[in-house]
Amino acid sequence: MAPTDDTGQTAQHVSPPGTTPPARPPAEGAAGPVARMPRWLPRAMVLALALIAAFQLGSWAFHQLTGLLINILIAFFLALAIEPAVSRMAARGMRRGLATFLVFLGLMIVTAGFVTLLGSMLAGQIIKMVEGFPQYLDSVIHWVNQTFHTELRRVDVQEGLLHSDWLRKYAQNSAAGVLDVSAQVLGGLFQLLTITLFSFYFAADGPRLRRTICSVLPPARQAEVLRAWEIAVDKTGGYLYSRGLMALISGIAHYILLQALGVPYAPVLGVWVGLVSQFIPTIGTYLAGALPMLIAFTVNPWYAVWVLVFVVIYQQFENYMLQPKLTSKTVDIHPAVAFGSVIAGTALLGAVGALIAIPAVATLQAFLGAYVKRYAVTDDPRVHGHRRRGAGGPGLLTRARGLGTRRPEAAVSGAQPAETGLGTSEEGGGSS
């Protein structure tokens, strides 16, 4: 029990002098000391909210500027493609601005001539199909009447089409979509103008742009940036050079075929097949061959079959014979890597990514190749896909065959000498 004094109250424990008395626990019902917020917590909360707001603002701005960034990327690769020609003309004393203008003027003339010839060809074929539509319709009606024993007439079919609700709704939807088509055409022209201006500035002010980038980097990084820039120019220009050469060969080959078959507009169709099959990856061959097949079908259905066979055979010749020789020194990447890069570029940027995927991957591969240390490969047959035989003892299949062919008598007879030898050794040991 606690000691008490005369009055019956519990004696108070007196602390030794020079020490702080222990704090008493708060009584029931009494409020304890008020807990204060740490001083860093408000600033941390404000900083977190500011970071979230900055991230949301940056994400919104990036999504709004995605179209402009893609246009700048296309313009940059286009400037890299024409950089060798501009630099060669500037080395001969011509100003870079004038050299860039002449290169772009040549590209615009070639593009405008191709589009004009292609448009005239398509317009002529459409007019021909519209003029021959009554004969096509008569032949179809005649075949239906003979096959199904009906009595259809062209006048009845035309009146049914003109007074049908489907044609009226189609005309209304087409009229309503004219504004959308016009807006898309204007948007495409504005996008083309933006790409042209940026690529012109990138090509004309290439040295100034490189100096500006290098001015904010240390000297060691400047050398790496300039080396990467040079590799990008070589790979992009080499890619376009090889593709242009293959397009020329493909166009000439298809022109000879179409001219021999008597298909109209053979020169334009040859240029169409060459450009589309080379500069649209993966599906460009099939898109390029569809138009010549359609026009050849209007001349003779069997001509379309011949065009299809020639397209397939030439594609195999190009993949296995022509393309490896032309791209071995310019864009030296594995076909599987090229196919995967095209798929990845399409998934990221659509058709633009498919166009720039191969030169981008070739540039990255060539740039990183300088930082990868390579060693001499050992002279081992397994490197060439040949398996070693006899290494590590007999294989599992060989041992299983040996156990299966061994007879029980041989096993018993083989065990007898061991027992005999054991007995002899024991006897010899006892005699000694």
Side-chain angles (χ1 to χ4, degrees):
M1 297 178 62
T4 58
D5 56 3
D6 297 338
T7 60
Q9 295 180 349
T10 305
Q12 300 292 334
H13 293 281
V14 179
S15 302
T19 60
T20 304
R24 296 182 179 180
E28 296 182 359
V34 180
R36 293 184 178 181
M37 182 184 299
R39 294 182 179 180
W40 56 267
L41 186 58
R43 288 179 292 180
M45 294 177 63
V46 172
L47 180 61
L49 293 176
L51 290 177
I52 293 174
F55 174 77
Q56 294 291 338
L57 181 61
S59 177
W60 171 81
F62 178 77
H63 286 293
Q64 294 295 325
L65 298 176
T66 301
L68 178 61
L69 295 177
I70 292 176
N71 293 337
I72 293 176
L73 183 63
I74 299 173
F76 179 72
F77 272 91
L78 182 59
L80 292 179
I82 67 174
E83 176 73 18
V86 174
S87 298
R88 192 176 297 110
M89 296 172 68
R92 296 180 179 179
M94 186 179 297
R95 296 177 55 186
R96 289 190 64 91
L98 180 59
T100 307
F101 174 75
L102 292 178
V103 172
F104 269 98
L105 182 62
L107 290 176
M108 290 176 61
I109 291 174
V110 172
T111 304
F114 173 71
V115 172
T116 302
L117 292 176
L118 184 63
S120 63
M121 179 196 67
L122 292 177
Q125 291 301 122
I126 291 174
I127 292 174
K128 183 178 179 180
M129 292 176 63
V130 170
E131 291 178 350
F133 181 75
Q135 286 123 12
Y136 295 149
L137 186 58
D138 289 337
S139 62
V140 171
I141 291 174
H142 181 69
W143 178 81
V144 170
N145 290 334
Q146 285 186 347
T147 304
F148 300 101
H149 304 287
T150 57
E151 296 182 356
L152 295 177
R153 294 185 304 172
R154 188 178 69 182
V155 178
D156 298 336
V157 175
Q158 290 177 351
E159 290 182 356
L161 289 175
L162 292 176
H163 295 87
S164 62
D165 295 335
W166 173 81
L167 184 61
R168 179 175 54 83
K169 292 180 180 179
Y170 178 78
Q172 291 177 356
N173 295 332
S174 299
V178 170
L179 295 178
D180 296 336
V181 174
S182 302
Q184 292 178 0
V185 170
L186 292 177
L189 292 177
F190 180 76
Q191 184 178 5
L192 181 61
L193 179 61
T194 303
I195 294 173
T196 303
L197 289 177
F198 274 106
S199 58
F200 180 84
Y201 290 139
F202 286 152
D205 292 339
R208 184 184 303 176
L209 179 61
R210 287 190 286 269
R211 285 196 300 269
T212 303
I213 295 176
C214 292
S215 63
V216 296
L217 297 174
R221 299 296 180 185
Q222 293 179 14
E224 294 180 359
V225 169
L226 294 176
R227 181 175 175 274
W229 194 295
E230 184 179 0
I231 292 175
V233 170
D234 294 338
K235 293 299 179 180
T236 306
Y239 172 74
L240 291 181
Y241 169 75
S242 60
R243 288 292 173 176
L245 187 57
M246 286 191 295
L248 178 62
I249 298 174
S250 176
I252 293 174
H254 288 84
Y255 162 74
I256 294 174
L257 172 69
L258 297 174
Q259 189 69 26
L261 294 177
V263 178
Y265 303 101
V268 182
L269 290 176
V271 176
W272 163 266
V273 173
L275 293 179
V276 176
S277 63
Q278 299 303 322
F279 291 98
I280 297 182
T282 309
I283 62 173
T285 303
Y286 308 102
L287 293 178
L291 184 59
M293 287 175 55
L294 179 62
I295 297 178
F297 184 82
T298 60
V299 179
N300 191 338
W302 285 105
Y303 288 174
V305 177
W306 284 109
V307 172
L308 176 61
V309 172
F310 183 81
V311 168
V312 173
I313 294 176
Y314 181 82
Q315 184 65 25
Q316 304 306 315
F317 166 75
E318 181 182 282
N319 291 337
Y320 294 102
M321 298 294 294
L322 186 62
Q323 184 174 352
K325 293 183 179 180
L326 292 179
T327 60
S328 59
K329 296 182 180 181
T330 56
V331 188
D332 189 12
I333 60 177
H334 195 272
V337 177
F339 183 71
S341 63
V342 169
I343 295 178
T346 305
L348 292 175
L349 299 176
V352 176
L355 289 174
I356 66 176
I358 295 179
V361 171
T363 301
L364 182 62
Q365 178 180 350
F367 181 72
L368 296 179
Y371 299 95
V372 177
K373 188 176 181 179
R374 299 183 181 273
Y375 301 91
V377 181
T378 179
D379 190 10
D380 196 310
R382 289 171 291 184
V383 175
H384 305 286
H386 304 296
R387 297 184 59 187
R388 274 186 172 181
R389 295 185 178 180
L396 181 60
L397 183 60
T398 305
R399 285 181 289 178
R401 289 176 178 175
L403 292 176
T405 57
R406 180 179 295 179
R407 293 180 298 179
E409 294 81 0
V412 173
S413 63
Q416 289 176 356
E419 294 176 358
T420 305
L422 181 59
T424 305
S425 63
E426 286 176 356
E427 291 174 0
S431 60
S432 62

